[in-house]
Amino acid sequence: MKVCVGLSGGVDSSVAALLLKRAGYDVFALFMQNWHDTAGTLHGDCEWEEDRFVAEMVARKIGIPFYFVDLSDEYRRRVVDYMFDEYSKGRTPNPDVLCNREIKFDAFLNCAMRLGADYVATGHYCRKDSIIGADGKPVYRIFAGADSNKDQSYFLCQLTQEQLARAMFPIGDIEKPEVRRIAREADLPSADKKDSQGICFVGKVDLPTFLQQKLKPNEGDIVEVYDAFYGQNDQYGFIRSTLESLKHDDIRKNDSSGEREFSVPELSPEKLAALDEDLIVRLSEPVTYEGIRFETETYRAGKRHVKKTRYKENPYGKIIGKHDGAQFYTIGQRKGLNVGGHREPVFVISTDIVTNTIYVGEGYSHKGLFRSCLRILPEDVHWIRPDIRMTLGETRRYRVRIRYRQPLQDATVVMRSSGIFILFDTPQRGITPGQFAVWYDNEEMVGSGVIYR
């Protein structure tokens, strides 16, 4: 059986190749270059050349053939252009998920097969197996990696059954320290190489500088939102009252303290099933802040009583600074705001591309940072296991994460004609449009989708 290893020059793919060679497979290495432009990157101009050099030394050390392929045109068209487009709309994409779906297990896989490969192996920390489906055909399953600190299953959340059929993950059952030990004992050149960071195949970047290759800076206001805003906001009140109404009656009786006003320890399936479609759509919509308006007034200052203009006091918010473009910021972001005078850190809670406004809130527990419900449009729902896809009107309990390395969160997943809705037991911090929500059944990853808004 012939296996192509995507050899990146890192220790993980190196050990994957070594283990396959030791297991008796006919192994060859294929290094792919996916990026040429160094604008906005924080490392050296020729980082990919160093990676290729290390990868070639690893292949020579293991004793396997080494090949090179340039997929930069595919990567720019199918990953980077998508990334720019999403940021221009005020959404935050995950290029690593797209890279795996569009490049590693598509363009790269096709190249490997042309070279005679039966399978493609990578250094991802995840596990795969197969079972026989009801139709007698194999169904491929993907699980979290054995090393919970390095589990990378999230990045593979968009793979199909066809892609998984050709995939191998040799180090999925091994923990990272053991991978390092194997590499050192084998005297692999990548044994002590640091893990890569930043955007897949681009590297660590200064994101605003990187995005300014296509997105122009545009100065706008930074508006701080005060706690008083939520007391009079209709959407905030609707979410709070609706979530409360969906709880089991016995939970509602025992949860009158108000301390967990957005928590939904367990929803009543009957109440959820009866919830009108328009109401569950509204429940998934975030609070918006365009209603906070600022009026100006004139006043006289100084000995000469010079006439000046200032904003009137607003109980719901205040303009506290300027930014270079709302498209360069994401929900939950703390760095890069350049605003001071606060006791606690300030975080982005919303961006408005139309008005080019960033809304921020002070403190880790600011109300604007948390949401309990999100929506995925029907066309953006992906089932890794199509054999267990949900039916219209069905509800299930899954464990969900909305970003890489976030601990899995208990949630109720609801299938409606307008999409999949995920209602978390505990409010989630920084739900971000454009990112992927991924749901697991215990340790098996079964589906994913792009967060709508």
Side-chain angles (χ1 to χ4, degrees):
M1 187 181 298
K2 198 166 188 177
V3 181
C4 170
V5 177
L7 203 59
S8 66
V11 66
D12 298 329
S13 61
S14 300
V15 172
L18 177 66
L19 294 178
L20 288 170
K21 176 72 172 177
R22 287 177 175 176
Y25 290 97
D26 181 5
V27 184
F28 70 91
L30 182 59
F31 179 95
M32 56 178 156
Q33 179 186 2
N34 285 354
W35 195 247
H36 295 280
D37 195 347
T38 59
T41 59
L42 301 180
H43 293 146
D45 290 345
C46 301
E47 186 180 1
W48 73 268
E49 292 183 354
E50 180 186 342
D51 290 340
R52 176 181 175 174
F53 177 69
V54 174
E56 197 163 0
M57 287 196 301
V58 169
R60 191 178 301 117
K61 181 73 176 181
I62 296 173
I64 58 177
F66 179 88
Y67 300 94
F68 170 85
V69 62
D70 187 343
L71 296 175
S72 54
D73 288 341
E74 291 275 351
Y75 185 81
R76 178 179 289 278
R77 181 172 58 85
R78 298 168 70 173
V79 177
V80 177
D81 285 352
Y82 169 86
M83 178 180 165
F84 281 124
D85 183 61
E86 285 287 275
Y87 272 106
S88 73
K89 296 173 182 176
R91 295 159 60 84
T92 305
N94 191 311
D96 292 335
V97 172
L98 268 294
C99 179
N100 284 310
R101 185 185 76 186
E102 300 292 330
I103 305 300
K104 288 181 183 175
F105 294 95
D106 193 297
F108 180 82
L109 173 61
N110 292 334
C111 179
M113 291 175 66
R114 287 194 296 270
L115 292 171
D118 300 299
Y119 291 91
V120 160
T122 66
H124 285 99
Y125 286 86
C126 62
R127 296 169 291 160
K128 168 196 161 184
D129 74 3
S130 64
I131 57 175
I132 300 301
D135 58 0
K137 297 179 180 180
V139 176
Y140 298 97
R141 304 189 298 176
I142 188 165
F143 296 84
D147 189 337
S148 59
N149 290 321
K150 290 294 294 181
D151 170 37
Q152 294 173 313
S153 57
Y154 178 89
F155 292 131
L156 305 174
C157 69
Q158 288 280 292
L159 296 193
T160 65
Q161 285 290 302
E162 292 74 21
Q163 290 171 316
L164 282 173
R166 298 280 186 176
M168 297 179 74
F169 309 108
I171 65 170
D173 290 309
I174 308 174
E175 294 190 350
K176 182 75 177 196
E178 177 67 5
V179 169
R180 290 280 187 193
R181 186 193 66 78
I182 293 171
R184 290 189 185 107
E185 285 190 354
D187 197 26
L188 297 183
S190 58
D192 295 311
K193 195 169 185 291
K194 291 183 178 180
D195 293 342
S196 61
Q197 294 181 320
I199 300 171
C200 184
F201 290 107
V202 175
K204 199 166 185 179
V205 301
D206 178 274
L207 191 58
T209 301
F210 183 78
L211 293 176
Q212 283 173 25
Q213 294 177 74
K214 287 195 174 183
L215 307 181
K216 294 181 179 180
N218 183 20
E219 187 177 81
D221 292 328
I222 299 176
V223 176
E224 181 178 356
V225 179
Y226 298 149
D227 192 69
F229 171 82
Y230 299 94
Q232 57 80 47
N233 182 261
D234 289 342
Q235 176 64 4
Y236 187 84
F238 167 80
I239 293 171
R240 181 176 177 177
S241 61
T242 302
L243 290 176
E244 183 68 23
S245 72
L246 291 173
K247 294 178 183 179
H248 285 287
D249 290 334
D250 58 339
I251 292 176
R252 293 182 66 191
K253 290 176 183 177
N254 297 323
D255 190 28
S256 58
S257 66
E259 294 179 2
R260 299 186 304 179
E261 57 183 340
F262 270 52
S263 294
V264 189
E266 261 194 61
L267 298 170
S268 164
E270 295 79 17
K271 291 180 179 181
L272 192 52
L275 190 65
D276 183 79
E277 184 93 3
D278 290 339
L279 292 182
I280 196 168
V281 168
R282 184 180 174 188
L283 185 63
S284 70
E285 293 176 349
V287 172
T288 57
Y289 302 95
E290 65 272 8
I292 302 177
R293 301 184 184 280
F294 299 95
E295 297 179 359
T296 58
E297 61 182 4
T298 58
Y299 68 101
R300 295 187 180 276
K303 294 181 179 180
R304 297 179 179 275
H305 299 288
V306 177
K307 185 182 289 187
K308 294 186 177 181
T309 302
R310 65 187 174 193
Y311 288 109
K312 293 182 180 179
E313 290 285 331
N314 188 317
Y316 303 134
K318 180 181 180 180
I319 298 174
I320 61 170
K322 297 290 183 180
H323 62 80
D324 291 330
Q327 69 271 25
F328 301 135
Y329 295 84
T330 188
I331 293 173
Q333 180 174 335
R334 173 182 172 182
K335 295 181 179 179
L337 291 170
N338 298 317
V339 293
H342 293 79
R343 185 172 298 176
E344 294 188 65
V346 173
F347 299 90
V348 176
I349 60 173
S350 181
T351 62
D352 189 328
I353 294 296
V354 176
T355 63
N356 193 34
T357 305
I358 293 174
Y359 297 94
V360 302
E362 180 181 5
Y364 292 94
S365 59
H366 191 277
K367 288 182 172 66
L369 281 172
F370 294 88
R371 289 171 57 191
S372 289
C373 181
L374 63 83
R375 177 187 178 190
I376 298 169
L377 297 179
E379 61 268 26
D380 290 329
V381 176
H382 172 70
W383 287 95
I384 301 165
R385 290 279 306 277
D387 58 313
I388 59 170
R389 70 172 71 243
M390 294 173 66
T391 58
L392 203 61
E394 187 180 0
T395 66
R396 287 185 194 166
R397 294 286 292 173
Y398 279 123
R399 307 201 75 199
V400 181
R401 62 167 46 108
I402 56 173
R403 65 180 64 87
Y404 174 52
R405 300 199 74 168
Q406 180 202 29
L408 289 170
Q409 306 292 310
D410 293 323
T412 300
V413 179
V414 185
M415 184 74 167
R416 294 291 185 92
S417 60
S418 52
I420 273 185
F421 297 85
I422 299 175
L423 291 89
F424 293 94
D425 290 5
T426 304
Q428 296 300 297
R429 188 175 183 276
I431 291 178
T432 308
Q435 288 284 290
F436 287 88
V438 183
W439 46 96
Y440 292 72
D441 183 0
N442 292 316
E443 290 193 326
E444 182 187 359
M445 183 171 62
V446 296
S448 68
V450 182
I451 299 171
Y452 174 49
R453 51 182 303 191

